Amino acid sequence: MSPLHRIQALLERLDRPLADGVFLALLLAVAIAAGWLSARHDRYWDWTSSGDNSLSVETLQLLAELDQPPRITVFADPDGLLGKSIRRFLARYQQALPGMRVEYVDPRRFPERARNAQVRVDGQLLVEYRGRRETLERLDEHGLSAAIARLLEDRRPWVAVIEGHGERDIDGEAATDLGRLGRELEAQGFLARPLDLALVSDVPVNTHLVVLGQPEIALFPGEVERLIDYLDRGGNLLWLLDPGPLNGLEPLAERLGLHPLPGVVLDPESLEQGADTPTLALGSASATPHPLTALLSQSVLLPGARVFAPETAEGWTLAQPLVSGPRSWNEVGRIEPGSYRDEVVGELAGPQALLLALTRASTEGDRHQRVAVVGDGDFMSNAWINREGNRALAFALIDWLSGARMHPLPPPAPEQPPLELDDERRLLLGLGSLGAIPGLLLAIWLLIQWRRGRAR
């Protein structure tokens, strides 16, 4: 055999091993290149339909306000199941804040550090930002984002909510109460506390804001005077002035120069948009810009609201940030199909003021005293605060009146009901695992044997 034929035969024998070797080398090169690129160019995709592995829009907006990443210390074994679960959760925040430092401390190996941080449960987090710190024992997006929101503010404003005469309860769970707003305030560092004027001699001097709801029974002698004294001292007030009698608050309305129009708002446009009743007022921002409605992108829904004459007492500067629709009016008579506006009885065409914003120079330096009067308190209630633009207006009112910032937060994670199996479901599960699954495997085996038999 000639040398040329020997070389050709050798190449034919090496053809397959050579091809396999080249393929293996190229595969290793691609794997190494992919690892090198992924280490330097991190990319993240969330393919879940509900976005469970991504941060909410509210959290991303909150993180954008940080001028430096926070520092988080996790008191858990980094190699344990809990530590790995926390690591996966915090990866979302590190994706948005690449410079965020996360340190894992095993409380069993470093008990002194855990004791100094007042660690009570395994998996507790210590969040630090610009010398301030917050501790979290339960980890979810709402809780961590709320902690970051508290760290952004350097003070805890005191909000006093008047109670004792059937007003809306800041801690209540009823549809008309303000419990959801109260939890939002607490989550962001506000001290929202009920205040019974019959039990105190005066509104505390450290109060940043008083929230006054509509009393169901008349105030006792001296209580309204305490509110007026608070107002005369330069205090800020949010008055949720629902339709109906003032029940002893007439002197306060006179001091502010308020003139509520009779009746409730009737707006035919609300029926056209699917409302059950025309007494649902659709509040929108007035033509004059105002901080209370600067970020309002949706209508505010105010069920059974009243409107006000554009008047106020001397010394106050008046604004009307929120008004009713152009086709609305204050209905004085009965609400029934075919109701129409009657000017003779004082029914005025919209738009009319649903919200009055009053300001005047305070006696304390350059600060301005602020008062907001809303013709409906339902829009902030548990049943309505998360509808349309109600939440945005509620936050804007707290911001503007208290002087402290409220940050929109992601909603709390819903409570997952525990998995409970009754006797019938346990029986079905047992039969499935002991009978159905083995039967399915046996049927597959028989099918394979039958096909092999036919192939022969």
Side-chain angles (χ1 to χ4, degrees):
M1 180 181 294
S2 65
L4 181 61
H5 287 88
R6 291 193 187 96
I7 295 174
Q8 185 176 1
L10 179 62
L11 291 177
E12 289 177 354
R13 289 197 301 271
L14 295 177
D15 182 40
R16 184 57 182 267
L18 183 62
D20 291 344
V22 171
F23 174 77
L24 180 60
L26 290 176
L27 181 62
L28 290 175
V30 170
I32 294 172
W36 182 82
L37 290 173
S38 63
R40 287 160 177 77
H41 306 280
D42 194 14
R43 291 295 182 268
Y44 178 84
W45 294 274
D46 183 5
W47 291 351
T48 59
S49 60
S50 58
D52 293 336
N53 297 314
S54 300
L55 295 177
S56 63
V57 175
E58 293 86 354
T59 295
L60 293 175
Q61 292 174 348
L62 178 68
L63 298 181
E65 298 184 26
L66 298 172
D67 54 12
Q68 66 181 42
R71 184 173 182 269
I72 298 179
T73 304
V74 181
F75 290 91
D77 180 5
D79 298 323
L81 292 177
L82 180 59
K84 292 178 180 178
S85 175
I86 295 175
R87 188 187 303 276
R88 287 193 298 269
F89 173 81
L90 293 179
R92 312 180 204 173
Y93 286 82
Q94 290 179 299
Q95 180 74 19
L97 296 174
M100 187 176 77
R101 292 179 53 195
V102 180
E103 180 185 6
Y104 291 84
V105 176
D106 189 345
R108 295 175 181 83
R109 295 181 58 192
F110 303 96
E112 292 186 2
R113 292 193 59 180
R115 187 164 48 251
N116 293 336
Q118 299 179 349
V119 174
R120 292 189 291 268
V121 296
D122 198 18
Q124 187 168 309
L125 267 68
L126 177 65
V127 187
E128 299 174 278
Y129 177 76
R130 292 207 168 277
R132 298 186 288 273
R133 55 172 52 189
E134 286 283 339
T135 300
L136 286 180
E137 296 182 0
R138 178 183 176 183
L139 184 60
D140 57 17
E141 185 180 348
H142 178 271
L144 181 53
S145 297
I148 294 174
R150 292 193 295 271
L151 291 172
L152 277 170
E153 306 295 333
D154 58 357
R155 60 175 179 168
R156 304 196 69 185
W158 186 284
V159 178
V161 184
I162 303 300
E163 67 167 16
H165 301 274
E167 297 90 348
R168 302 174 190 273
D169 187 357
I170 191 63
D171 299 319
E173 299 297 331
T176 57
D177 286 332
L178 306 176
R180 288 188 175 181
L181 177 64
R183 289 191 291 272
E184 291 277 2
L185 291 170
E186 290 287 342
Q188 302 207 29
F190 287 74
L191 297 173
R193 299 291 185 269
L195 177 65
D196 191 341
L197 293 174
L199 303 179
V200 297
S201 59
D202 208 344
V203 177
V205 295
N206 60 342
T207 301
H208 290 78
L209 170 63
V210 166
V211 178
L212 174 63
Q214 188 76 3
E216 294 183 359
I217 59 176
L219 273 67
F220 301 133
E223 289 185 281
V224 70
E225 284 76 13
R226 296 185 182 103
L227 281 173
I228 293 176
D229 290 342
Y230 166 77
L231 204 63
D232 291 341
R233 297 200 313 263
N236 300 323
L237 174 68
L238 171 58
W239 190 355
L240 306 176
L241 186 53
D242 295 294
L246 295 181
N247 286 331
L249 293 173
E250 292 84 357
L252 180 62
E254 183 180 353
R255 179 61 64 95
L256 292 171
L258 297 180
H259 296 281
L261 298 180
V264 297
V265 175
L266 192 148
D267 192 350
E269 186 178 350
S270 61
L271 286 178
E272 298 172 1
Q273 296 193 15
D276 297 330
T277 172
T279 57
L280 179 64
L282 304 179
S284 57
S286 62
T288 305
H290 193 275
L292 286 175
T293 54
L295 300 178
L296 199 62
S297 59
Q298 296 176 296
S299 297
V300 180
L301 306 183
L302 301 99
R306 72 194 315 171
V307 289
F308 305 94
E311 303 173 12
T312 188
E314 185 179 354
W316 291 94
T317 300
L318 174 66
Q320 304 173 61
L322 194 74
V323 295
S324 61
R327 297 165 55 193
S328 66
W329 69 88
N330 58 308
E331 177 61 45
V332 177
R334 294 181 58 184
I335 307 297
E336 53 188 18
S339 295
Y340 62 93
R341 185 172 65 88
D342 188 354
E343 296 183 5
V344 177
V345 295
E347 296 177 349
L348 303 180
Q352 297 289 337
L354 290 163
L355 166 62
L356 298 181
L358 291 73
T359 57
R360 69 176 177 182
S362 174
T363 56
E364 301 178 4
D366 298 332
R367 189 177 67 85
H368 281 75
Q369 182 183 9
R370 294 173 174 176
V371 174
V373 185
V374 191
D376 169 60
D378 287 308
F379 86 98
M380 294 177 69
S381 67
N382 295 334
W384 288 89
I385 191 170
N386 289 328
R387 302 276 297 274
E388 299 290 333
N390 292 15
R391 182 187 180 92
L393 180 61
F395 279 23
L397 284 166
I398 300 298
D399 286 357
W400 187 70
L401 292 167
S402 69
R405 178 82 184 278
M406 282 197 74
H407 305 270
L409 296 177
E415 294 289 340
Q416 296 295 335
L419 179 61
E420 296 182 357
L421 298 177
D422 54 21
D423 294 338
E424 182 179 355
R425 288 188 174 91
R426 290 194 186 96
L427 178 60
L428 291 175
L429 185 61
L431 292 176
S433 59
L434 296 177
I437 295 177
L440 178 62
L441 295 176
L442 178 61
I444 294 173
W445 180 80
L446 291 175
L447 178 62
I448 293 173
Q449 294 299 320
W450 176 75
R451 294 187 65 181
R452 286 179 177 174
R454 290 192 61 184
R456 294 194 187 101

